[in-house]
Amino acid sequence: MSFAAAMLSLPRPLLATCVYLLLLPGCQGRILGYTNGFHYQDISNGNGHGEIYFNGIRLHVESPQSSVSATRGSTVTLPCHYHYEPELTIPRKTRVKWSWLPANTMTPQVSADAFFKETEVMVAMGSRHRSYGSFRGRVRLRRSAPGDMSLVINELQVNDTGRYRCEVIDGLEDDSVTVDLELRGVVFPYYSQKGRYHYNFFRAQKECQDQDATLATFEQLFTAWEEGLDWCNAGWLADGTVQYPITIPRDGCGGKNLAPGLRSYGQRDRVLHRYDAFCFAASVKGTVYFLENTTKLNFTEAIQACSSDGSQIAKVGQLYAAWKLMGLDHCDAGWLADGSVRYPITKARANCGPSQPGVRSFGFPPQYLKFGVYCYRSMLCFNAGQIKPY
């Protein structure tokens, strides 16, 4: 269908609006879309058809990596370099803008509208720069070589994940590239002591935070599924969708005839609907250890025992992170801060649960029963002779 035919097929009110916009001065041929936030003056050295000549010099912005992964609390560099073809004989003044699309707003197919949700991270020109929001004071440009506009982020936070855009503007041209930032960590299902499906979206967020974790993103749950996570209860994700991962199709979990994958309920009402949660825990700044004790402890005694040892009782997210990222392996069940009893196994063996590695759970037993306890000591509490081995 031709452009004219497509226009004529529109309803009359919409057609009138389109014609009006096309007739506005300076609007011919323009389409509303992504804007980089910088103002450009019109340049008249064109050919009369909206094209501008730049003497054959083209700006290229590139990144050798489309994604970068790092651990919480670390320093990470998002690579971005620009150059000209052919090389310039007279340098041009350039500006760089880094912006960010948070992971909890990303979907498997990012639409053009997502660009409007990008948040400014840093803008720099020459030696002047400005950072914004939660990134203020934590970001800088690496500038290790001419054209290096790589972004360095210090004290990486759990919520820093997402898609970052590096855009270079020289007054005549602009080009950009995106780099995804992911945290290394582990996804785990989490449910109420009362049983399954008791959390609305906001309660699920809080429950994950209370366990030193965040609601998992779609990408994090998908990666966990690729690594073998199979869980037949639906849980909230950071984008407000409800999903669950199945590696072995079966009745009651979407049916035997569906292929393995993520089962999705789509977006649900964040206040009214109740499900479990999928939490994401990144590495911990400290150590998780099983407190060697000659006697078993009830829940109250377990809290006191960790405190007496200069630590605190470990949270579920801390135990999962220590198991997944630090290789914690101990075949003794122990209390955790939420009142659950669990133990981590990296090397499956007899009398230590199923044949696959994982964090074994006894659920939420009565708090008068006696088990061991897992404690957590942060880096700030480390003193000579106090560090407990795994």
Side-chain angles (χ1 to χ4, degrees), residues 283-284 286-288 318 320-329 346 390:
S283 60
V284 292
T287 186
V288 176
Q318 293 166 346
Y320 267 94
W323 163 72
K324 179 72 173 181
L325 302 173
M326 305 171 75
L328 180 59
D329 181 288
T346 57
Y390 290 164

Side-chain angles (χ1 to χ4, degrees), residues 213-279:
T214 60
L215 274 178
T217 65
F218 171 86
E219 290 77 10
Q220 290 163 349
L221 183 63
F222 185 82
T223 298
W225 168 75
E226 289 182 314
E227 294 175 351
L229 180 60
D230 183 285
W231 193 257
C232 197
N233 291 342
W236 290 102
L237 297 182
D239 62 358
T241 62
V242 174
Q243 312 197 32
Y244 62 100
I246 295 297
T247 59
I248 303 174
R250 54 197 183 274
D251 290 335
C253 301
K256 294 181 179 180
N257 296 326
L258 284 180
L262 297 188
R263 314 286 193 241
S264 177
Y265 292 176
Q267 292 281 341
R268 310 300 287 174
D269 189 291
R270 298 187 180 199
V271 175
L272 299 178
H273 290 145
R274 299 289 192 274
Y275 296 96
D276 293 340
F278 285 103
C279 304

Side-chain angles (χ1 to χ4, degrees), residues 46 92 94 100 122 126 142 180 209 211 228 278 306:
R92 292 177 181 172
T94 57
W100 167 59
M122 167 181 256
R142 184 171 62 181
D180 290 347
Q209 290 169 359
Q211 299 310 314
F278 285 103
C306 287

Side-chain angles (χ1 to χ4, degrees), residues 71-74 155-156 212 282-288 318 326 376-382:
T71 56
R72 185 175 65 175
S74 65
E155 288 295 322
L156 191 63
D212 201 21
S283 60
V284 292
K285 281 190 170 182
T287 186
V288 176
Q318 293 166 346
M326 305 171 75
Y376 168 75
R377 182 178 293 136
S378 70
M379 293 291 292
L380 297 177
C381 296
F382 282 176

